């Protein structure tokens, strides 16, 4: 029997159809982009009402594709989707309404900054959060007035299509949202189909290809890529909470979470007690597919090969398995490892599975140095009862975001700009920054007084140059000038 049974077939969208979809989207965008924010917000609110009412139908489809527990699907897909629909419907107007910043120097002019939709946005998504990772950027792009084309992962296409179903029922005008289906070929076709922005979420290897293609076409893009997030546990951490956070951070979504805890650095003084609690909590986890359980199967069986390769390498180099360590059909047991080093791929490459390697460290400095010793920089967590100490550590981490005494929840905090550093990504999504990323901020400079001419216009004369020199001396050479400029 196969590890994961197929649940259906999809028709792949040919490249020529992808181009046609972009053309249809461009036609539809003009009217959608011209609507008032309140009109666009009404569609989001209607979608929220439908999602609340019909959540079981959505959960059912997502669970069939991912094997996740009902609770986890509700928590990581439906809950943040409802929040995203509400937050951007409520705040888009405030973030994107015309701004009139005062002019600090050119006081004879006025400045108006207007946020214009980019046009057609292509959104390419992975399989590990197949509904929310398609819905959240879609909501932002739509509220900014764009049309959207989503290319969901070929592993979980039906969950991506749910986004289209939701907006269709909510009354979104035809072709403002479309889905194209297929694998990397369809994704590449979308990148090259004349879209105005690509919002990509996926692996570093594919992100690099997408970034290169966007560079060639001069299409702006955001790249939300993989990670190897570190957890730092200080000697004054609340042991119970930190151990619970490690287990949740490591095994949430069976470890298939971009901001999952993939490495743990624990202060020497509490190492043994911390590890004992983590092992106890890990052993209590229930794996399954039916009824109440905590950890589901691997969504994409190919990921099991990566896990097995990392585990074999770690064990060959001296790592000790304290619990778990076995593959069981489409599952991998939640696993705790110690005696791991940065010579092992399990500490340097993204594993994306339920493996928690724990390292003993002598000080905060060593923990920070080891956490930063990575090609990745997506997120990370710090655990200490001393907030100032934890913030000081957070500031020194080379990551896109940090959570303190909490596992990585930044993506779920709408207000927080989210994005990776180093190889974990380019650009930021979410919140005000993310919403503006779906717009062109267009400055319009307006003359205020309507004089017949400007001092710097032709003809250039020695007299005009002397006056300009006087202005320079006054503006940047006197206290009043410096204060005013
Ligand atoms: P992937 O890179 O294999 O695929 C992602 C998407 O890109 C899929 O839809 C795929 O069909 C498409 N694609 C493949 N080749 C393409 C090409 N040449 N041009 C355009 N599109 C192409 O990633 P995956 O295995 O689906 O997802 C897992 C990865 O995603 C992990 O590395 C994980 O860390 C990362 N991820 C990152 C975030 C984040 O916010 N930073 C969130 C979730 C997942």
């Amino acid at each position: 029997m196969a590890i994961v049974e197929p649940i259906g077939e999809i028709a792949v969208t040919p490249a020529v159809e992808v181009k046609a979809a972009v053309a249809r989207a461009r036609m539809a965008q003009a009217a959608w982009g011209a609507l008032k924010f309140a009109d666009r917000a009404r569609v989001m609110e209607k979608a929220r009402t439908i999602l609340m009412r019909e959540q079981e139908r959505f959960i059912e489809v997502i669970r069939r594709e991912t094997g996740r527990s009902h609770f986890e699907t509700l928590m990581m897909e439906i809950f943040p989707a409802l929040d995203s629909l509400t937050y951007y419907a409520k705040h888009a107007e405030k973030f994107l309404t015309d701004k009139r910043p005062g002019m600090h120097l050119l006081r004879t002019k006025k400045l108006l900054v207007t946020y214009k939709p980019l046009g057609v946005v292509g959104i390419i998504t992975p399989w590990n959060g197949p509904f929310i990772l398609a819905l959240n950027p879609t909501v932002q792009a739509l509220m900014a007035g764009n049309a959207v084309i989503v290319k969901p992962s070929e592993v979980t296409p039906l969950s991506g299509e749910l986004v289209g179903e939701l907006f269709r029922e909510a009354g979104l005008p035809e072709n403002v949202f479309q889905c194209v289906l297929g694998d990397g070929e369809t994704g590449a076709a979308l990148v090259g189909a004349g879209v105005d922005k690509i919002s990509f979420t996926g692996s570093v290897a594919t992100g690099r290809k997408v970034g290169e293609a966007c560079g060639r076409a001069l299409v702006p893009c955001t790249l939300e890529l993989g990670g190897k997030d570190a957890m730092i546990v200080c000697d004054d951490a609340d042991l119970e909470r930190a151990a619970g956070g490690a287990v949740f951070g490591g095994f949430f979504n069976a470890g298939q979470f971009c901001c999952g805890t993939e490495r743990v650095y624990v202060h020497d003084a509490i190492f043994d007690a911390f590890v004992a609690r983590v092992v106890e909590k890990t052993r209590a986890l229930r794996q399954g597919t039916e009824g109440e359980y905590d950890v589901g199967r691997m969504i994409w069986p190919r990921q099991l090969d990566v896990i097995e390769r990392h585990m074999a390498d770690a064990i060959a180099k001296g790592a000790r398995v304290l619990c778990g360590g076995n593959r069981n059909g489409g599952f991998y047991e939640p696993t705790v490892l110690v005696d791991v080093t940065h010579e092992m791929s399990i500490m340097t490459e993204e594993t994306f599975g339920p493996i928690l390697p724990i390292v003993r460290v002598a000080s905060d400095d060593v923990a920070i140095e080891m956490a930063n010793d990575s090609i990745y920089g997506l997120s990370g967590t710090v655990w200490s009862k001393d907030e100032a100490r934890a913030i000081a550590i957070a500031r020194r981490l080379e990551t896109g975001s940090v959570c303190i005494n909490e596992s990585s929840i930044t993506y779920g905090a709408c207000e927080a700009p989210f994005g990776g550093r180093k190889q974990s990504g380019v650009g930021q999504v979410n919140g005000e920054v993310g919403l503006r990323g779906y717009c062109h901020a267009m400055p319009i400079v307006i003359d205020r007084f309507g004089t017949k001419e400007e001092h710097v216009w032709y003809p250039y004369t020695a007299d005009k140059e002397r006056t300009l020199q006087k202005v320079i001396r006054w503006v940047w050479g006197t206290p009043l000038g410096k204060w005013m400029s």
Side-chain angles (χ1 to χ4, degrees):
M1 200 177 83
I3 290 169
V4 176
E5 293 295 326
I7 57 166
E9 286 185 13
I10 55 156
V12 170
T13 315
V16 53
E17 250 310 300
V18 175
K19 259 210 148 95
V22 174
R24 286 194 296 273
R26 200 167 292 295
M27 296 282 285
Q29 186 273 330
W32 175 252
L35 286 181
K36 291 195 173 74
F37 284 104
D39 295 330
R40 298 203 284 260
R42 249 191 298 283
V43 177
M44 304 300 135
E45 283 154 7
K46 184 110 187 273
R48 181 188 59 203
T49 307
I50 295 166
L51 185 57
M52 282 178 75
R53 194 180 61 218
E54 314 255 329
Q55 53 176 271
E56 280 311 315
R57 178 161 62 88
F58 285 75
I59 289 174
E60 163 71 18
V61 175
I62 300 167
R63 287 194 66 203
R64 274 168 59 212
E65 284 194 323
T66 61
R68 250 194 237 127
S69 73
H70 191 280
F71 178 76
E72 204 163 72
T73 311
L74 181 67
M75 181 229 314
M76 88 168 267
E77 303 273 7
I78 307 300
F79 186 95
L82 294 169
D83 187 32
S84 172
L85 286 161
T86 309
Y87 180 80
Y88 294 105
K90 216 187 252 183
H91 296 284
E93 181 162 9
K94 180 177 66 196
F95 295 153
L96 300 183
T97 204
D98 289 354
K99 303 282 180 294
R100 293 177 183 275
M103 299 290 259
H104 78 286
L105 184 62
L106 305 177
R107 289 168 189 245
T108 59
K109 317 290 163 201
K110 297 190 282 195
L111 174 62
L112 169 70
V113 180
T114 186
Y115 296 92
K116 293 173 66 166
L118 293 173
V120 181
V121 176
I123 296 175
I124 301 175
T125 60
W127 44 261
N128 66 317
F131 179 64
I132 185 64
L133 293 175
L135 180 121
N136 185 38
T138 295
V139 170
Q140 295 174 45
L142 289 179
M143 277 310 298
N146 300 281
V148 169
I149 298 179
V150 164
K151 205 300 280 173
S153 166
E154 60 275 30
V155 181
T156 52
L158 304 181
S159 303
E161 279 198 307
L162 285 175
V163 178
E165 199 178 312
L166 180 65
F167 282 122
R168 221 173 9 258
E169 286 177 38
L172 187 74
E174 208 183 355
N175 296 326
V176 173
F177 178 93
Q178 296 170 82
C179 225
V180 293
L181 300 180
D183 59 11
E185 228 175 278
T186 314
L190 181 58
V191 175
V195 293
D196 301 294
K197 174 165 182 160
I198 287 287
S199 174
F200 174 83
T201 311
S203 64
V204 173
T206 311
R208 213 184 284 282
K209 287 187 206 162
V210 170
E212 280 169 7
C214 285
R216 272 195 302 278
L218 296 178
V219 170
C221 65
T222 52
L223 304 173
E224 298 301 319
L225 310 179
K228 190 76 194 169
D229 286 2
M231 168 179 191
I232 295 179
V233 187
C234 299
D235 50 1
D236 64 347
D238 179 324
L239 257 190
E240 182 61 22
R241 186 169 172 82
V247 171
F248 181 73
F251 306 135
F252 171 66
N253 205 22
Q256 304 155 110
F257 175 40
C258 56
C259 299
T261 301
E262 294 231 351
R263 304 176 282 153
V264 188
Y265 301 98
V266 185
H267 201 285
D268 191 29
I270 56 158
F271 182 84
D272 293 333
F274 175 83
V275 170
R277 276 191 208 206
V278 166
V279 169
E280 188 190 328
K281 287 178 186 295
T282 303
R283 288 207 171 112
L285 294 174
R286 299 156 300 172
Q287 270 193 302
T289 50
E290 302 296 333
E292 259 190 11
Y293 60 92
D294 306 305
V295 182
R297 65 164 166 82
M298 297 306 292
I299 299 172
W300 184 217
R302 276 194 208 166
Q303 204 60 39
L304 285 158
D305 302 338
V306 178
I307 298 171
E308 289 199 308
R309 181 166 53 78
H310 287 185
M311 284 293 291
D313 172 70
I315 290 166
K317 290 176 180 159
R320 261 187 314 131
V321 180
L322 298 187
C323 62
N326 297 302
R327 173 180 179 164
N328 179 9
F331 294 85
Y332 202 94
E333 291 172 351
T335 299
V336 179
L337 289 179
V338 290
D339 298 345
V340 286
T341 70
H342 282 207
E343 303 305 310
M344 303 171 183
S345 52
I346 206 132
M347 295 300 284
T348 55
E349 294 174 23
E350 186 181 46
T351 308
F352 223 52
I355 315 292
L356 205 56
I358 312 181
V359 180
R360 186 192 291 271
V361 290
S363 66
D364 292 357
D365 283 347
V366 175
I368 293 165
E369 197 180 313
M370 293 187 87
N372 286 339
D373 176 27
S374 175
I375 57 168
Y376 297 100
L378 189 53
S379 192
T381 65
V382 181
W383 303 72
S384 164
K385 285 189 191 137
D386 179 347
E387 193 176 303
R389 175 182 178 182
I391 291 175
I393 294 172
R395 286 185 199 280
R396 292 172 62 192
L397 292 180
E398 295 161 0
T399 59
S401 60
V402 181
C403 291
I404 292 173
N405 297 327
E406 175 58 288
S407 57
S408 273
I409 54 163
T410 326
Y411 189 84
C414 291
E415 298 83 353
F418 179 86
R421 300 198 50 205
K422 302 185 191 171
Q423 295 192 18
S424 288
V426 175
Q428 288 184 307
V429 297
N430 295 349
E432 186 168 354
V433 170
L435 207 58
R436 292 215 175 137
Y438 290 109
C439 297
H440 174 71
M442 184 187 187
I444 300 175
V445 178
I446 307 156
D447 180 56
R448 287 170 70 185
F449 299 120
T451 50
K452 291 287 171 226
E453 63 177 61
E454 290 289 324
H455 180 75
V456 295
W457 290 359
Y458 302 125
Y460 295 158
T461 63
D463 200 32
K464 281 186 177 180
E465 182 156 347
R466 271 191 298 278
T467 310
L468 192 56
Q469 285 292 3
K470 261 194 212 161
V471 170
I472 288 171
R473 279 197 298 277
W474 186 80
V475 173
W476 293 293
T478 68
L480 184 60
K482 279 189 261 189
W483 179 73
M484 286 185 71
S485 56

